[in-house]
Amino acid sequence: MNNSHVHPVMSAFLGPFLRTVHDNALTDAVDHGLVGSEADEFADRVTSVTAETIEHLERQRDQMLDAGDR
């Protein structure tokens, strides 16, 4: 994930947040019967989609802010 455009406070927040998302997704996967690499893949995918969604929302926010400056 490229955090070069993210405010430093947000960047410091994202790492721990995404680790928590991954941990929770792994717990959910195991609770629903996935084991080993299947559980890891599920948690990785949930974390990836979460990170992509955050990046998408940041781009939308930046576009709206840029449009407001015009």
Side-chain angles (χ1 to χ4, degrees):
M1 176 172 53
N2 179 3
N3 288 333
S4 62
H5 66 284
V6 178
H7 188 277
V9 172
M10 181 58 101
S11 182
F13 166 77
L14 280 178
F17 174 75
L18 290 174
R19 278 190 293 280
T20 300
V21 167
H22 188 275
D23 291 347
N24 289 344
L26 190 56
T27 298
D28 288 347
V30 170
D31 288 349
H32 286 90
L34 297 177
V35 294
S37 63
E38 287 182 330
D40 290 333
E41 289 173 16
F42 174 81
D44 290 347
R45 184 66 184 138
V46 168
T47 304
S48 176
V49 168
T50 301
E52 290 168 8
T53 301
I54 291 168
E55 289 177 345
H56 174 75
L57 293 171
E58 288 173 340
R59 283 191 302 276
Q60 282 187 325
R61 178 204 59 216
D62 291 346
Q63 289 171 353
M64 291 172 61
L65 291 173
D66 289 345
D69 289 341
R70 292 181 194 153

